[in-house]
Every structure is written in C-alpha cells, then in structure tokens.
C-alpha cells in the first residue's frame, strides 16, 4: 500500500540521525504541554487547544526584519499543488505532509530528506476541494496521517515504514480524510471529508499502538455511536437524537455534516471540540428542520465518543456555511472572574464566543463587512434569518428546474474557511484570515446516488471589492471590535500564527510569508516563496536560534470553486516546498 524511497543504507542513517539528536518517544504529556515548549511542535495547532501561540520571544518586532531563509525542501514530482499542511518538529526532525497523501521526514537543521512515504491512491478518489493534506500526528514512535482514500496510516517515525493501516470509510461513497488527526489519551482522533457526496459525518478514535477502533460518533442525528469492547460494538446513543427528529423522512440517512477540518481538545473540560459541515443536499427545501448536528460545534467525550453539548451556528443551512471552523479554547477575565470560553469564526460571517463548559452562547458579532442571509443573532446565538430574499428559492415552486436565485454574502467559501486563526495570550486578540466575497446561488432538484455529487444547487462567486478580497483581522472577543486589518488583493487561504514576540505570521496566494505587529497591524516582514502560501506557519528553537517554517504551494478550493474569484488567481504558480527561516544569533535583540 505504499511506495517508500528509503533503502537499507538510508534507514540506517535515519536511525543514526535520530540517535544523534537524542530522539525520544512522543508522550501524552508532551502533547498536552506543546503550547508551553519551545524546542518542538508536536500537535496540530501548536497546542491541543489550537491557539497557535508561541511563547518564544527571541524573534520580535525589533529584529524580525533580519529573519533569513535557512533551507527549502521540494516535495518533488508533478504533484505540486495545494500544500495546506502544518509541519511538526521533534528532536531535530521535521515531519510534514504534502498533497496526494505524502509524508516526509526532514533534517530540521539542514533540510535533507530522511525518508518519504507515498500512499498508493486508487484512481477513484473524490476529494471535493483539491488533493490537500493538512498535517500529521505524532505519538510514541509513530507518525500518523489520513489519506484521500479515507485511511489512517501509522508510520515508524525513524524509518517511514508502515506499522498499521486502517480503513476509516468507503472512498467510493465520497469519503476522504484531509485533516490532521489529533492525539488524546493515547487515541488517534480523526474526522472525515465528503459532505458534497451525501456521506454521514463522524468522529472516530483509534488505539494509537494497534490501530484498533475504540469508538465511533456519527454527527447526523439518528445515527448511533458505538464503543468497541473485546471486538464487539456496544451502542452509545448518548445525545444521538432520534431518526427524523430534525430531518424529514429518510433525509438523515445521507445527511452530510462532514467533520473535515479535524478538532481541538480542552484538558480543563476533558472535551474534544469538532465542527460539522453542511447538511446534504445544499437544496434546503428538501430537508425542512434544523438538521442536527450539521453546521454545528460539538463537545465530545474523548473516552466514549458521546456528545456533551452542541451549538448550531447555521440551523437549516441553505448556503453551504459549514460549521467546521476550529473552536479555540481561551480564558478571559470579566467582573473579576475567569471565564472559560471558546471562540470560532464561522463561514457564515459571525464570530461566536461560547462557554466551553456548557456550550452556552456568550456573545456573537459579524467579523466581515457585510452579511445578507441573516440580520443578526438572537440572545441564544441563533441567526435571525433574512426572510425576504436571504434564502435561494424552492425549485419545486418555480417554472423549470431552477429556483429563484439570490445574492448571498459571504459566499459559500465563507467569511473564513479552513485556514486556522490564532489567539494571542498577550494581546487578548484573535487574528482571523478572512475574505470578502458574495455569490449568486440557486437551488435545483437532486436525488442521492452513491459516489455522485449531492448538491442540488448552482452558484457563482464574485469579489465584493475592486482592490482586495482577503482581510487579516485582529478581533477583540470581548467587545466584537475590529482592532486592525490588513487588506490583501487575493483571497487569504493560509493559517495564522502569533508569538510572544508581538508578531503575527501568515502567508498569501501571491507567495509571501508575512509578519505583522500583533498590536498595530504594521507589516514588518515579507519573503516571497515562489508559490502561494496556503499552509500554516510554525516556530520553534534549535541550538539557541529561533526558526519559522511554512509550506508553500498554491491550490485548495479557491481555484477549483472560485468562479469569478478564480480569475484573480489564475496566473499564480503551483508549487510544493517547505521553507524554513531562522534568526541568526547575532541579530537577537532583548526586549
């Protein structure tokens, strides 16, 4: 099931390198402490809470202009597009995934390849939104990642050899895995992609050592979850809901709600936080009701997969406003008390702050310039729909096969899509990579067929401004105020990182890695990587120097689904590289 370009001599050198770096197994405690450590990155999100905040301040606003390229590594072959991954670093070795379900181990000092693994993908894979992979998980002596044919693969971190492979779902029904798994209590936790094919979303836990399935939690109401004991499935229907309760007829059987972005974890409440995608099909007139648990955030018990609470951002979603965007845990003070909160910037254009212990709505506000489908949020955070011309029309009540078209903003690609935001513990601000665009959208008749697109809608995306589409925003979660913004000509499609050095890093489709002052938004640094940056940057220290790494390689959903927006980016070069930068020791400035 694989192609691995490593011979015996290279395996030996890889093991020798690992020994020379003092390589250690990655433990649960390493992962839980990731946000506090400087010399490694062992979790997706630079900490399980997903804040993407580094406590390192060696690189700061005074010296970031001296950041220099250290090395660049090519992913090679003709598979040069859609590099959305976040690198991991442990004991001087970088582990990074690439498009078409590939994984690399790289010497983090020199940029030399240690090993490469290529998944042998079948011809019939059906990724809706490009051939991306967003990262790996590290645990013990394993590197674990998901594939475009919906498998989990565990590799030995020193040799790249397969330890186990498990089928998570049927790729011929439209399932895939594009997100990085996370590791909690020795379990590999993964979601699935495929909402445009009428699949049923789910979150599953696998034993990291053996690959055995521990529990499964479907995310469409009516489908029961199970815990697996002694090889037998024991029903766990806690908060599973009854079939058809918020779905008409049998629509729940192919209800979508894909968990395609993966999740975060909060140790304070012992909760996994997963977002769920759009209900299927897009034509909402076929499925009246709230359609739980689609377009929602779920708090899931990591021990058995039961749902603790849910919060639905777009009930009866008719615009493909997936609720998958990351839910980030953070604390803040209010009236002298600590509030255990969590925040998410939804594709629907609203920013939500929730009580992470209960899922209770605290506050919400727009983070984009214009929202047309709703006029606001009520006291419980439920949208107040624009009932006049907000929802695309019912094709069954129109002449011909096309319902009445509406102009909706944001477009279905969202006020913010998959690209993760970051939270600074110093400024108390969230840094949100967002986009300003609208769409013409209409509904069409559709019926389910295994492996076929299950949309029932047509659309055209348009820019809403002449000079910019992307906006990097600094948002205050306590007030809803936009503190500063940076407008970018092309859509922003890469993740964000912030640091104790008062810096915010992100990339642009024009190819730049950029750094901004976290308090003012002043642009302080840029470097062109040669292709669009749609990956997520990380930082760490090695031998007393601070490093920054980011994947570069234009692709993802925008050039595939972007309509008129795609014209803006049609001349951007594809690519496949990971760039690593460092601040030389002689440029360190005390703050």
């Amino acid at each position: 099931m694989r192609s691995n370009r490593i011979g015996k001599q290279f395996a030996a050198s890889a093991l020798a390198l690992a020994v020379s770096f003092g390589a250690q197994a990655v433990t649960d405690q390493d992962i839980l402490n990731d946000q506090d450590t400087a010399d490694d990155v062992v979790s997706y999100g630079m900490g399980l809470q997903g804040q993407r905040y580094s406590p390192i301040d060696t690189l700061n606003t005074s010296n970031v202009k001296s950041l220099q390229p250290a090395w660049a590594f090519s992913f090679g072959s003709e598979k040069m597009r859609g590099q959305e991954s976040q690198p991991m670093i442990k004991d001087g070795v970088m582990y990074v995934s690439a498009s078409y379900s590939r994984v690399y181990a790289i010497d983090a000092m020199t940029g030399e390849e240690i090993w490469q693994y290529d998944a042998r993908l079948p011809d019939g894979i059906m990724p809706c939104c490009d051939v991306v992979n967003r990262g790996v998980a590290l645990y013990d002596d394993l590197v674990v990642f998901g594939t475009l044919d919906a498998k989990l693969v565990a590799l030995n971190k020193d040799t790249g050899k397969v330890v186990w492979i498990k089928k998570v779902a049927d790729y011929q029904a439209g399932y895939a895995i594009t997100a990085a798994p996370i590791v909690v209590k020795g379990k590999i936790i993964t979601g699935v992609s495929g909402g445009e094919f009428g699949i049923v979303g789910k979150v599953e836990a696998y034993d990291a050592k053996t690959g055995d399935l521990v529990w499964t939690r479907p995310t469409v109401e009516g489908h029961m979850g199970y815990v697996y004991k002694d090889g037998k499935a024991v029903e766990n229907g806690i908060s599973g809901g009854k079939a058809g309760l918020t779905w008409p007829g049998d629509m729940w059987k192919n209800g979508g709600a894909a968990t395609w972005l993966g999740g975060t974890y909060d140790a304070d409440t012992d909760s996994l936080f997963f977002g769920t995608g759009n209900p299927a099909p897009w034509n909402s007139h076929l499925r009246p009701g709230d359609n739980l648990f689609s377009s929602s955030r779920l708090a899931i018990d990591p021990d058995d997969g039961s749902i603790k609470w849910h919060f639905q951002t777009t009930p009866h979603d008719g615009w493909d406003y997936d609720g998958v965007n990351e839910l980030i845990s953070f604390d803040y003070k209010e009236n002298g008390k600590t509030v255990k909160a969590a925040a998410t910037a939804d594709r629907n254009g609203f920013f939500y702050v929730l009580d992470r212990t209960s899922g209770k709505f605290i506050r919400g506000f727009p983070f984009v310039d214009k929202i047309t489908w709703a006029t606001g949020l009520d006291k419980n955070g439920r949208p107040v729909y624009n009932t006049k011309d907000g929802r695309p029309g019912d094709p069954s009540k129109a002449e011909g096969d096309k319902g009445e078209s509406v102009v909706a903003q944001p477009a279905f690609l969202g006020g913010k899509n998959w690209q993760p935001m970051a939270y600074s513990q110093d400024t108390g601000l969230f840094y949100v990579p967002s986009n300003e665009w609208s769409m013409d959208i209409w509904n069409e008749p559709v019926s389910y067929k295994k492996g076929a697109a299950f949309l029932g809608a047509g659309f055209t995306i348009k820019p809403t401004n002449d000079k910019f589409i992307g906006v990097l925003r600094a948002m205050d979660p306590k007030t809803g105020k936009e503190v500063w913004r940076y407008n970018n000509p092309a859509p922003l499609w890469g993740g964000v990182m912030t640091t104790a050095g008062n810096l915010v890093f992100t990339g642009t489709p024009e190819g730049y890695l950029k750094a901004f002052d976290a308090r003012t938004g002043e642009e302080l640094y840029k470097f062109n990587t040669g292709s669009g940056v749609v990956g997520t940057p990380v930082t760490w220290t090695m031998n007393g120097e601070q490093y920054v790494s980011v994947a570069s390689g234009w692709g993802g959903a925008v050039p595939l689904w972007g309509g008129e927006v795609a014209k803006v980016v049609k001349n951007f070069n594809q690519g496949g590289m990971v760039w690593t930068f460092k601040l030389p020791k002689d440029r360190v400035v005390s703050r």
Side-chain angles (χ1 to χ4, degrees):
M1 293 298 295
R2 72 183 178 115
S3 167
N4 193 323
R5 287 186 355 218
I6 182 167
K8 292 182 179 180
Q9 69 274 27
F10 292 104
S13 64
L15 289 169
L17 178 66
V19 171
S20 70
F21 277 113
Q24 301 293 320
V26 177
T27 67
D28 290 289
Q29 201 61 41
D30 290 335
I31 296 170
L32 287 170
N33 294 337
D34 193 30
Q35 68 277 357
D36 300 319
T37 57
D39 59 355
D40 58 29
V41 178
V42 294
S43 65
Y44 188 78
M46 297 171 58
L48 288 174
Q49 290 185 323
Q51 292 184 356
R52 299 187 178 276
Y53 169 84
S54 170
I56 311 169
D57 63 0
T58 306
L59 181 66
N60 53 60
T61 54
S62 300
N63 57 25
V64 67
K65 62 181 179 295
S66 298
L67 190 65
Q68 300 175 1
W71 52 262
F73 176 88
S74 173
F75 296 135
S77 79
E78 76 285 357
K79 301 173 181 178
M80 302 285 277
R81 76 172 204 250
Q83 313 303 342
E84 293 186 355
S85 62
Q86 177 213 290
M88 300 280 208
I89 296 92
K90 175 65 174 171
D91 296 326
V93 179
M94 176 183 291
Y95 304 92
V96 61
S97 63
S99 56
Y100 291 96
S101 306
R102 296 173 290 166
V103 178
Y104 299 80
I106 304 167
D107 184 327
M109 181 68 70
T110 66
E112 295 180 8
E113 179 179 303
I114 300 172
W115 55 256
Q116 175 182 342
Y117 173 89
D118 294 339
R120 187 172 298 167
L121 298 173
D123 292 335
I125 57 172
M126 291 179 282
C128 89
C129 307
D130 212 359
V131 289
V132 302
N133 186 283
R134 298 188 178 95
V136 305
L138 302 181
Y139 187 70
D140 195 35
D141 60 352
L142 301 176
V143 179
V144 186
F145 77 111
T147 67
L148 290 171
D149 59 343
K151 292 184 175 70
L152 276 180
V153 180
L155 309 172
N156 180 278
K157 69 179 178 62
D158 298 321
T159 66
K161 293 183 177 180
V162 171
V163 177
W164 53 258
I165 296 178
K166 296 293 179 178
K167 176 181 176 181
V168 175
D170 180 6
Y171 76 89
Q172 293 178 317
Y175 286 92
I177 300 176
T178 55
I182 62 172
V183 181
V184 176
K185 300 181 180 181
K187 304 180 188 73
I188 307 295
I189 314 292
T190 186
V192 292
S193 303
E196 274 58 59
F197 298 96
I199 56 89
V200 173
K202 60 181 178 177
V203 180
E204 291 189 331
Y206 291 80
D207 183 283
K209 297 291 183 66
T210 65
D212 292 338
L213 182 60
V214 179
W215 54 255
T216 182
R217 172 69 266 164
T219 53
V220 175
E221 183 184 66
H223 295 268
M224 293 297 101
Y226 294 89
V227 175
Y228 293 85
K229 297 179 180 179
D230 300 323
K232 297 180 180 180
V234 179
E235 184 175 303
N236 177 8
I238 300 174
S239 298
K242 296 180 179 179
L245 192 62
T246 61
W247 294 80
D250 290 339
M251 296 298 291
W252 60 277
K253 292 183 178 180
N254 302 102
T259 49
W260 58 266
L261 193 51
T264 57
Y265 173 73
D266 174 53
D268 289 345
T269 60
D270 191 24
S271 298
L272 296 165
F273 296 134
F274 268 77
T276 62
N278 59 283
W282 288 18
N283 181 349
S284 61
H285 299 282
L286 294 174
R287 44 172 176 76
D290 282 357
N291 311 137
L292 292 175
F293 295 95
S294 68
S295 299
S296 299
R297 303 308 190 281
L298 307 180
I300 298 175
D301 188 319
D303 294 324
D304 64 8
S306 59
I307 297 175
K308 295 181 173 184
W309 56 255
H310 77 275
F311 181 86
Q312 192 171 35
T313 48
T314 313
H316 195 213
D317 184 356
W319 305 268
D320 188 37
Y321 289 150
D322 290 27
V324 295
N325 290 359
E326 67 283 355
L327 186 63
I328 299 176
S329 300
F330 73 109
D331 295 341
Y332 68 90
K333 295 284 187 179
E334 189 167 71
N335 299 323
K337 296 182 179 180
T338 298
V339 178
K340 291 187 178 299
T344 188
D346 199 86
R347 270 170 63 167
N348 69 20
F350 288 103
F351 191 103
Y352 299 83
V353 180
L354 308 178
D355 182 327
R356 70 178 186 266
T357 67
S358 65
K360 183 179 178 180
F361 176 71
I362 297 176
R363 69 181 62 89
F365 43 84
F367 68 94
V368 294
D369 293 338
K370 186 178 181 180
I371 295 173
T372 63
W373 67 278
T375 59
L377 303 175
D378 69 15
K379 64 179 182 179
N380 297 314
R382 190 179 179 92
V384 180
Y385 293 110
N386 173 4
T387 57
K388 182 181 179 182
D389 56 2
R391 186 180 295 271
D394 185 348
S396 69
K397 297 180 180 179
E399 295 183 7
D401 291 337
K402 181 178 176 180
E404 182 180 359
S405 177
V406 299
V407 177
Q409 193 169 340
F412 76 87
L413 288 178
K416 188 183 88 68
N417 200 275
W418 81 272
Q419 57 272 22
M421 63 183 181
Y423 172 74
S424 171
Q425 300 175 14
D426 303 314
T427 66
L429 302 176
F430 281 88
Y431 302 97
V432 186
S434 62
N435 291 297
E436 297 290 337
W437 39 28
S438 66
M439 64 179 171
D440 295 326
I441 182 170
W442 58 91
N443 288 148
E444 302 167 346
V446 68
S447 58
Y448 175 76
K449 180 180 179 181
K450 180 182 176 180
F454 193 40
L455 298 184
F459 49 83
T460 301
I461 297 181
K462 302 176 181 179
T464 55
N465 302 286
D466 293 333
K467 295 185 178 180
F468 68 92
I469 299 173
V471 184
L472 177 63
R473 291 174 155 95
M475 301 296 299
D476 187 332
K478 297 173 67 175
T479 66
K481 178 183 177 182
E482 180 185 280
V483 177
W484 58 258
R485 66 190 285 166
Y486 161 76
N487 295 338
N488 193 73
L492 293 179
W493 210 251
V496 179
M497 170 185 71
T498 186
T499 76
N502 194 38
L503 295 171
V504 175
F505 284 89
T506 195
T508 73
E510 293 88 347
Y512 288 101
L513 173 67
K514 292 194 173 188
F516 301 86
D517 186 301
R519 298 188 183 276
T520 68
E522 178 186 0
E523 183 179 314
L524 302 175
Y525 176 84
K526 67 178 183 179
F527 179 90
N528 198 299
T529 64
S531 182
V533 177
V534 294
T536 302
V538 296
T539 189
W540 79 100
T541 59
M542 185 167 54
N543 295 336
E545 295 177 300
Q546 186 171 354
Y547 288 75
V548 174
S549 288
V550 69
S552 168
W554 174 237
V558 174
L560 297 177
W561 293 73
E564 292 186 19
V565 170
K567 297 177 183 177
V568 178
V569 300
K570 65 183 177 66
N571 293 323
F572 290 173
N573 292 324
Q574 295 179 348
M577 303 277 286
V578 58
W579 283 84
T580 293
F581 306 81
K582 74 173 181 178
L583 180 71
K585 291 181 179 179
D586 61 359
R587 302 300 174 92
V588 174
V589 178
S590 61
R591 300 177 70 222

